[in-house]
Amino acid sequence: MPELPEVETVRRGLEPAMVGARFTRVVQRRPDLRFPFPKAFTERLEGQEVRALGRRAKYLLADLSSGEVLIMHLGMSGRFLVTQGGATRMPGEFHHEHGGLGAHDHVVFQLSNGASVTYNDARRFGFMDLVPRSEIETCKHFAEMGIEPLGNELSGETIANLFAGKRTPLKAALLDQRLIAGLGNIYVCEALFRTGLHPEAPAGSLATKSGEPTEKAHQLAEVIRDVLSEAVEAGGSTLRDHAQVDGSLGYFQHSFRVYDREGEPCVTPECTGTVERLVQSGRSTFYCPVCQKRSRTR
Ligand SMILES: [Zn+2]
């Protein structure tokens, strides 16, 4: 499943093909993906210029000259193929394998700059929607959504505010999209490891009794941003390396420090710990029991 850094990489890859260009023709090959396409989907796009391409959590947002926003979500297996100036590339395709293109090409955008952008999704868990810009914050996709982890809102203070009084395990609180949006399992494991926080420690332990952020809360905010930015940068390096568009395992997957490393030695210098796995809310958590002691949340 594409995680936030991959979606950001896709955004960066689509930007030069889409921003400033008009949709000259939109081909929609089926009535639905995960959800039905919005009414008159192609008509509402054709003739409109893409003014900006943004991202909120794992959603791509194309601002149109009509005042509507085209919302695109990649689901489990969605990806874009960009053909421009005779070359074809697939931004963000760097950590899962895929089959051939064609059968699952569901939407094709032809743009006034000559680019064509194809949305391919074998499992069809992705979707597209059109929402007026003025209603974006209150629409069903974003109304309940928490803060953006790569934005300036994330700080020790916001973590303390969001987590104060909560007994839920840290791991679960960090995965709760209503608190912080778009943080997936891999990056939560990595961030907790780098901060030296136990995944089962209560979320509320990152705030003092008076609700102030602990030292670890400040560290965690910084580490979350680092982990995500590093993955975006790694995705960016794959973008430049066209050899990897064949779906081979990408560069950044090799840089995980705990994720999927159960039984392997901890990478912290001098640490004699072994990475362990536990299951929280049905999902695997990887951590080093030596570096991530339950008691150290101050
Ligand atoms: Zn360790």
Side-chain angles (χ1 to χ4, degrees):
M1 166 155 28
E3 295 243 21
L4 188 149
E6 187 172 6
V7 177
E8 176 60 20
T9 305
V10 171
R11 190 195 69 75
R12 293 180 185 189
L14 290 178
E15 211 168 30
M18 293 183 77
V19 176
R22 256 178 320 106
F23 291 104
T24 49
R25 182 154 180 256
V26 176
V27 180
Q28 178 197 334
R29 297 218 167 108
R30 33 178 315 121
D32 57 1
L33 293 169
R34 179 176 182 182
F35 308 118
F37 280 93
K39 286 202 177 69
F41 180 66
T42 60
E43 290 85 345
R44 284 156 77 181
L45 292 178
E46 283 173 351
Q48 303 304 325
E49 182 190 319
V50 179
R51 295 267 164 87
L53 186 64
R55 180 190 53 75
R56 174 80 168 99
K58 298 205 286 186
Y59 297 72
L60 293 166
L61 305 175
D63 269 281
L64 308 178
S65 45
S66 60
E68 290 196 295
V69 179
L70 168 62
I71 299 175
M72 299 175 280
H73 194 283
L74 299 169
M76 307 282 286
S77 58
R79 54 187 183 260
F80 286 97
L81 187 76
V82 180
T83 305
Q84 193 170 22
T88 298
R89 60 198 170 80
M90 193 184 291
E93 185 62 20
F94 54 86
H95 73 170
H96 46 86
E97 297 189 31
H98 59 83
L101 286 163
H104 305 291
D105 291 351
H106 304 307
V107 181
V108 182
F109 301 132
Q110 305 280 4
L111 293 139
S112 56
N113 56 9
S116 93
V117 173
T118 301
Y119 180 71
N120 174 287
D121 190 347
R123 297 179 65 182
R124 298 201 306 269
F125 277 103
F127 61 87
M128 296 193 188
D129 200 0
L130 282 163
V131 171
R133 174 37 82 178
S134 56
E135 293 169 21
I136 203 87
E137 291 298 323
T138 52
C139 78
K140 63 181 178 209
H141 307 293
F142 304 121
E144 306 275 301
M145 190 175 272
I147 62 166
E148 178 64 35
L150 263 175
N152 294 328
E153 283 172 292
L154 184 70
S155 66
E157 283 77 11
T158 46
I159 286 180
N161 286 339
L162 292 170
F163 290 5
K166 286 198 161 55
R167 290 192 181 178
T168 16
L170 257 178
K171 166 94 186 292
L174 288 168
L175 283 176
D176 186 341
Q177 304 298 303
R178 293 164 301 180
L179 302 176
I180 302 172
L183 266 188
N185 197 36
I186 295 174
Y187 299 101
V188 167
C189 291
E190 292 295 299
L192 288 173
F193 171 72
R194 290 200 201 180
T195 320
L197 284 166
H198 195 284
E200 289 179 314
S205 61
L206 289 180
T208 63
K209 281 211 173 67
S210 56
E212 299 296 314
T214 64
E215 198 47 47
K216 287 285 187 194
H218 289 296
Q219 262 185 48
L220 179 62
E222 205 166 305
V223 163
I224 287 172
R225 246 195 304 273
D226 287 350
V227 166
L228 293 175
S229 321
E230 284 167 26
V232 172
E233 289 311 309
S237 77
T238 311
L239 256 185
R240 289 189 291 276
D241 176 8
H242 288 205
Q244 292 199 22
V245 299
D246 64 1
S248 60
L249 287 183
Y251 165 81
F252 93 80
Q253 193 159 70
H254 301 298
S255 68
F256 296 147
R257 298 186 191 174
V258 278
Y259 185 79
D260 211 16
R261 295 193 62 246
E262 183 183 13
E264 292 179 41
C266 174
V267 296
T268 305
E270 323 257 301
C271 178
T272 54
T274 300
V275 175
E276 289 185 9
R277 183 177 74 96
L278 58 87
V279 176
Q280 292 177 283
S281 329
R283 309 200 56 190
S284 290
T285 301
F286 300 90
Y287 71 109
C288 170
V290 179
C291 294
Q292 296 168 263
K293 291 245 192 291
R294 210 174 290 248
S295 53
R296 285 192 212 137
T297 49
R298 292 284 130 184

